[in-house]
Structure formats: structure tokens, C-alpha cells
Amino acid sequence: MGKVTCQISISLDGFVAGPNQSLENPIGEGGMRLHEWLVATAAWRRHQGLAGGESGPDSDVADEVTQGIGAYVMGRHMFGGGSGAWDPAWRGWWGENPPYHVPVFVLTHHPRESLPMHGGTIFNFVTDGPAAALAMARAAAGDLDVSIAGGASTIRQYLAAGSLDELYLHIAPVILGAGERLLEDVGDPVLEPVKVVASAAVTHVKYRITKKQ
């Protein structure tokens, strides 16, 4: 069985999205600044079918975090489409070929039929809670890892439950001042740094997570 992992960009003051998130601005005001390091990389552009971009440590990390993943779990707001009953016309933010290419399990209170997309992505909508979604993702992933894709509330739930084995933070030199905090109400997990990669744009810190004895 693989690990349960999470990787996410975060500001120096602890936010993973800016204030006033909306369908028009899903990462909130200033939130895209957290991801400027990523969209500049050759790896990200290659994954989008584009040429160019910068090689180097950030591009190597962007490649690393996509390897060995057999399934994803995400929250309703990360998949998008508003709250309440589903609008069947909403098929996610990513177009008809989302970047996941494996099964994705979406936490929601509202049932919806599974949604196959191009490239191997299948969105499955889970109404039985985080533990059930993780069990389904583990079964789908087999020996590969399960990645908790976000958003912040979903990551916090798995971190507080002791379900995460690894947390990879991409710390951008950005102060957002408000928005969606990541590390609130998560208990007191033991985070052991196992890898640090730094560039002028961002510092990547990978933590192994263990429970206190």
C-alpha cells in the first residue's frame, strides 16, 4: 500500500488561498501569487502540452509531485461548481482533459454520478465522509500513493485525523494577510523535515508525519 501525501503552495503567513474566493476567483485575491513559481517551470508547461519554461530545482519538484500517484481526494470547493445541489453542466475547472489522469474522489454532501473525463480522470462523488473517500482512493490506487489535493479544509481534516503520511509545502515569499489558513485545528502532529529544496522563487519543504508516542 502506498502513502497518503499532500503537496500545496502556501504563503509565509500560512494561507493557501487569498480572501474573497468565488467562482470567478477560486484561489481568492492574490492567491495566484502562490503558484507563480509553478507556472514558470518547464515541467508544468510540459504537463500542459506547452513548450518553454524554466528548468532547475523548481521544475524538478513540479515533476516529482506528480509521480507515483494512483488516486486523488479533493473537497467540493476544489472541484467547484458552487454549493448545494449539483449543476450537471459543471465539469470542474480544468476542461475536458483534467491534469489528474487517475480516479479522483470528491467529498460532497450531494450525490452525483461519476464523471469520466479524457485522459483517464474519473471524478467520483463521495457522500459518506473523508474516511470513506480515503478508503475508496486507497483501493483505486493499489500500491501507488493517494494524494490529498485540497482545498485547505479537506487537508486539515485528514491531517487532524492522522491520515497523512507526508506533507510537502511550497513556501512562496508572499504575505497574503488573510484568506484560507492551512494549519489550524489540526492537533499536534509530529512533522519531521526530510527534504528541503530552495530557489529564488520558493522554498520546498517535505515533512514526514508521525503520531506522538
Side-chain angles (χ1 to χ4, degrees), residues 106-112 125-129 132 136:
V106 181
L107 293 165
T108 176
H109 295 294
H110 299 275
R112 181 173 179 175
F125 301 92
V126 182
T127 58
D128 295 331
M136 293 176 190

Side-chain angles (χ1 to χ4, degrees), residues 5 39 46 50 62 72 74 108 111 116 134 167 180 182 205 211:
T5 70
V39 298
R46 185 170 65 254
L50 304 172
Y72 291 86
M74 67 174 58
T108 176
L134 181 56
L167 178 63
E180 189 86 25
L182 181 65
V205 185
K211 296 179 181 179

